[in-house]
Amino acid sequence: MEVDYKNITVIGFDADDTLWVNETYFREAEDQFCNLLEKYETKNKVDQELFKMEIKNLDLYGYGVKGFMLSMIESAMEISNNKIPQSTITEILNIGKRMLSHPVELLDGVEEVLQKLEDRYRLIVLTKGDLLDQERKLEKSGLSKYFHHVEVLSDKKEDNYQHLLDHLEIPVSQFLMIGNSLKSDVLPLINIGAQAVHVPFHTTWAHEEVPKEQQGNGHLTLNDITDILKYLPNVRTATTK
């Protein structure tokens, strides 16, 4: 599709599965959880019940590993009819703790893109999840030096974005968002008049999936985050000098 980014002055980046690997570790944790409960239910059933519990608890716990841990414990209690042993609860907590202490694995091309953009655009991180965990990952990633501002949102809906852009005094016409989730990183921005780029990750949480008929066509989709450099005029001009 035709894109025009000549008015863009601020670029926002999602964090999880845009800057670094995240969903892969959740899938691994789900498999470990299902194995712990195999004596009570089939893997498919345990997986379904955990997902339902996560969605039920989003308004209470929000996004992130800590809410996921609590949902695993609550699901285990329900699935086992409160017969789950203390040792299994301890192992569920250990699954979450391992997730929280996991090394940060940058996605290919991310630092190259940030290096080429940092002097030409104001760069910010807009993510959702647990504040402490996201701060930890950003620090471990070594990427914090590239960003002017980091915001951990409770959710990523139109109102969340509009409120933040107003607070930071960023006109929507000058803002571009880059992320892996159509639901959270792309469509809400398009709906408020900003621009957005979709860089899909190979694994998507079911809650973030968008039916094909609702995906729209007002955004650019790239296979690789480095491809954004071809579309940003300030970078193209600098590169050809």
Side-chain angles (χ1 to χ4, degrees):
M1 62 169 288
E2 290 289 330
V3 294
D4 182 1
Y5 297 146
K6 67 177 182 295
N7 294 324
I8 298 301
T9 61
V10 183
I11 301 177
F13 288 83
D14 171 52
D16 293 335
D17 300 320
T18 298
L19 300 179
W20 50 67
V21 176
N22 179 68
E23 185 61 25
T24 302
Y25 306 139
F26 275 86
R27 293 297 172 88
E28 292 173 354
E30 288 167 358
D31 286 341
Q32 294 166 17
F33 176 71
C34 290
N35 290 336
L36 287 175
L37 296 181
E38 62 182 357
K39 65 180 288 186
Y40 301 103
E41 267 295 356
T42 65
K43 180 183 184 300
N44 187 56
K45 179 66 173 178
V46 172
D47 200 49
Q48 290 176 355
E49 292 304 310
L50 175 58
F51 177 71
K52 287 194 292 186
M53 187 65 70
E54 288 181 85
I55 301 306
K56 174 185 172 183
N57 287 336
L58 274 180
D59 288 341
L60 285 174
Y61 305 146
Y63 296 88
V65 175
K66 293 175 186 174
F68 178 63
M69 291 167 67
L70 290 169
S71 292
M72 283 194 291
I73 292 172
E74 194 171 348
S75 292
M77 294 173 66
E78 282 199 1
I79 291 169
S80 69
N81 196 25
N82 293 319
K83 294 178 181 178
I84 198 81
Q86 179 62 44
S87 59
T88 303
I89 298 295
T90 299
E91 183 52 37
I92 291 171
L93 289 172
N94 287 335
I95 290 173
K97 289 178 180 179
R98 288 194 294 270
M99 294 175 71
L100 290 169
S101 61
H102 204 287
V104 175
E105 181 183 350
L106 293 184
L107 291 172
D108 291 342
V110 164
E111 190 153 22
E112 174 192 346
V113 168
L114 297 178
Q115 287 172 344
K116 292 186 176 180
L117 298 184
E118 64 170 331
D119 293 332
R120 300 177 179 91
Y121 296 91
R122 181 182 173 194
L123 306 182
I124 64 177
V125 173
L126 300 181
T127 187
K128 62 184 179 184
D130 177 75
L131 176 61
L132 186 62
D133 186 35
Q134 294 292 8
E135 288 179 340
R136 175 193 64 82
K137 287 190 284 190
L138 186 61
E139 183 63 27
K140 282 190 173 184
S141 74
L143 299 179
S144 57
K145 61 189 175 185
Y146 297 111
F147 296 105
H148 293 80
H149 181 80
V150 177
E151 191 78 21
V152 181
L153 300 165
S154 60
D155 208 340
K156 283 182 164 182
K157 297 180 180 179
E158 285 88 347
D159 289 346
N160 303 101
Y161 281 114
Q162 188 66 65
H163 177 76
L164 181 65
L165 293 179
D166 290 344
H167 178 69
L168 297 178
E169 299 182 337
I170 301 172
V172 292
S173 61
Q174 297 178 22
F175 184 68
L176 172 67
M177 182 70 183
I178 299 174
N180 71 291
S181 171
L182 280 171
K183 182 177 180 179
S184 294
D185 305 319
V186 175
L187 298 180
L189 276 307
I190 300 300
N191 291 341
I192 66 171
Q195 303 234 42
V197 172
H198 184 214
V199 186
F201 188 63
H202 60 75
T203 303
T204 303
W205 186 30
H207 182 61
E208 295 292 331
E209 293 177 354
V210 176
K212 189 171 183 179
E213 64 273 14
Q214 298 176 22
Q215 293 180 6
N217 56 10
H219 61 272
L220 186 66
T221 297
L222 303 176
N223 292 323
D224 191 296
I225 196 168
T226 59
D227 290 339
I228 189 61
L229 301 174
K230 304 172 186 176
Y231 294 91
L232 293 168
N234 290 348
V235 180
R236 287 206 307 267
T237 301
T239 303
T240 57
K241 285 182 180 179

